[in-house]
Amino acid sequence: STSSMEQHYMNPRMTTPYPDVIIGNPVQLEKKKQAIRAAGLSTLQVIADFDMTLTKYLVDGVRGQSTHALLKSNPVYDMKRHELFEHYYPLEISPDLPVDEKAKYMEEWWGKSHALLIEGGLNYESIISSVAKATISFRDGITQFFETLDEDGVPLLIFSAGLADIIEEVLRQKLHRVFPNIRVVSNRMEFDGNGDLTGFKGRTIHVLNKNEHALELAAPLHDDDGNLVGDNNGAAIVEGRSNVLLLGDHLGDLGMSDGVDYDNRISVGFLNENASNWLETYKEAFDIVVLNDGSLKPVIELVKELG
Ligand code: TMP
Ligand code: MG
């Protein structure tokens, strides 16, 4: 009979012919582990993407929703946002578009999409009900992962080009508790006294600047008078921590640590789509590749090994 541990690592759906965890270069990974272990957990910070990294790619066999996609408000405006998606998403993934041109389009997309949320009259109540109805689920092991980091005093930044208020609502509804060592660095909404959306705080975080200037964007935001606005200040809790554990599902997520002058970085890549085409690339790019929509167990074990 198999132990529960083995069952965890087995692939129940056989979505790919691969095991759930693949390490491309075990010798290099071991060296990084030793270096971080020697420096201690007090030097470690975790940077994680949200959609399809902390959340599952498939929820009961159905494609999971991203923070933008799950938000349901005024149907006419939801349709308009969907039309923007159909126009701009092909530009986001186009291999031919120069990056500066692409960045311009992404600025445009996020700008228009955020404006539609305001025009459509989004109310905070609809965020709560959208999250309650959404097809979204955390990866198995999320609570244990957050608890392990909390116990070890390791800060976690969740970086997303999605919507901070939705991510925080998902955390509230799914976990029923608040972890003091977690900060969400994402696009943050402003509401009036009636709970109606009036605007967004600070600079827009889209897929391209998330990858290039994540930590600069995470710095405390100030208004024209120099007052701190919002709590998009994840930089404070990771300050001085020179070792990074990075979790992402896209190759571009590796850029989330570009703003950190780190000594060692261990990266974990969740390979959700086209595994056979992408496996070799992911094995080169990430220290650890998780397949088959696998759990966070290997990441939890890694943190324990580093302690
Ligand atoms: P992320 O994985 O970094 O959070 O990327 C955000 C994704 O959200 C990106 O692929 C584009 C998508 N998106 C929408 O689906 N709808 C929108 O309105 C916007 C602005 C982005
Ligand atoms: Mg993602």
Side-chain angles (χ1 to χ4, degrees):
S1 74
T2 51
S3 71
S4 66
M5 177 72 83
E6 283 169 318
Q7 278 167 5
H8 219 106
Y9 280 98
M10 282 191 329
N11 173 10
R13 290 181 307 281
M14 297 304 286
T15 43
T16 73
Y18 309 111
D20 286 2
V21 181
I22 295 181
I23 294 163
N25 187 339
V27 175
Q28 182 179 287
L29 175 59
E30 197 49 46
K31 278 194 187 137
K32 290 183 182 184
K33 277 163 51 172
Q34 275 172 18
I36 297 177
R37 208 179 292 131
L41 282 181
S42 63
T43 66
L44 185 67
Q45 58 170 293
V46 184
I47 304 177
D49 169 56
F50 185 73
D51 293 310
M52 316 306 148
T53 293
L54 294 182
T55 63
K56 278 182 169 173
Y57 184 72
L58 291 176
V59 180
D60 299 327
V62 176
R63 184 81 167 73
Q65 288 179 306
S66 68
T67 60
H68 275 115
L70 71 79
L71 188 55
K72 299 274 176 284
S73 177
N74 178 325
V76 174
Y77 285 83
D78 289 345
M79 180 55 75
K80 288 186 185 182
R81 283 191 299 127
H82 185 69
E83 283 163 11
L84 289 180
F85 178 89
E86 305 220 300
H87 175 73
Y88 284 104
Y89 186 67
L91 299 174
E92 178 187 335
I93 60 172
S94 164
D96 308 319
L97 217 51
V99 74
D100 51 338
E101 225 175 288
K102 196 181 277 200
K104 232 176 53 205
Y105 286 127
M106 296 302 103
E107 293 274 358
E108 245 175 53
W109 181 9
W110 261 251
K112 287 179 185 172
S113 180
H114 288 179
L116 285 175
L117 288 174
I118 300 168
E119 276 177 55
L122 182 78
N123 188 278
Y124 196 82
E125 289 301 317
S126 53
I127 291 184
I128 297 174
S129 61
S130 295
V131 170
K133 288 181 206 144
T135 308
I136 191 164
S137 162
F138 279 115
R139 245 172 233 282
D140 294 336
I142 194 88
T143 302
Q144 202 196 337
F145 177 50
F146 288 171
E147 278 173 355
T148 301
L149 295 179
D150 191 31
E151 283 160 16
D152 292 330
V154 175
L156 164 67
L157 291 188
I158 300 176
F159 272 117
S160 174
L163 299 159
D165 305 77
I166 304 222
I167 293 172
E168 288 173 352
E169 187 58 30
V170 175
L171 291 166
R172 268 193 293 273
Q173 290 192 22
K174 305 279 175 196
L175 301 179
H176 312 288
R177 59 188 277 200
V178 174
F179 288 89
N181 58 325
I182 297 179
R183 292 290 182 284
V184 177
V185 180
S186 187
N187 297 297
R188 212 167 264 287
M189 298 171 173
E190 268 171 334
F191 298 92
D192 65 15
N194 299 320
D196 290 322
L197 177 67
T198 55
F200 284 81
K201 289 171 185 160
R203 262 186 70 188
T204 306
I205 302 178
H206 55 69
V207 276
L208 285 179
N209 63 15
K210 168 191 168 181
N211 296 343
E212 288 166 15
H213 305 289
L215 270 192
E216 288 150 53
L217 292 168
L221 300 169
H222 295 87
D223 63 18
D224 293 342
D225 301 322
N227 300 313
L228 191 65
V229 285
D231 56 352
N232 208 0
N233 57 344
I237 63 164
V238 297
E239 207 182 318
R241 291 179 175 254
S242 58
N243 290 309
V244 174
L245 170 58
L246 181 146
L247 314 181
D249 70 307
H250 283 141
L251 291 169
D253 289 330
L254 285 163
M256 292 190 298
S257 57
D258 282 1
V260 188
D261 185 18
Y262 57 78
D263 294 332
N264 306 281
R265 182 187 74 179
I266 296 178
S267 58
V268 183
F270 294 84
L271 177 48
N272 297 319
E273 285 171 304
N274 284 323
S276 55
N277 290 336
W278 285 100
L279 183 56
E280 283 313 311
T281 308
Y282 271 58
K283 273 168 68 178
E284 292 269 318
F286 293 96
D287 295 297
I288 299 170
V289 182
V290 177
L291 295 111
N292 309 321
D293 220 9
S295 81
L296 289 161
K297 196 142 193 133
V299 184
I300 297 165
E301 281 169 8
L302 174 67
V303 173
K304 291 195 166 149
E305 281 180 62
L306 295 176

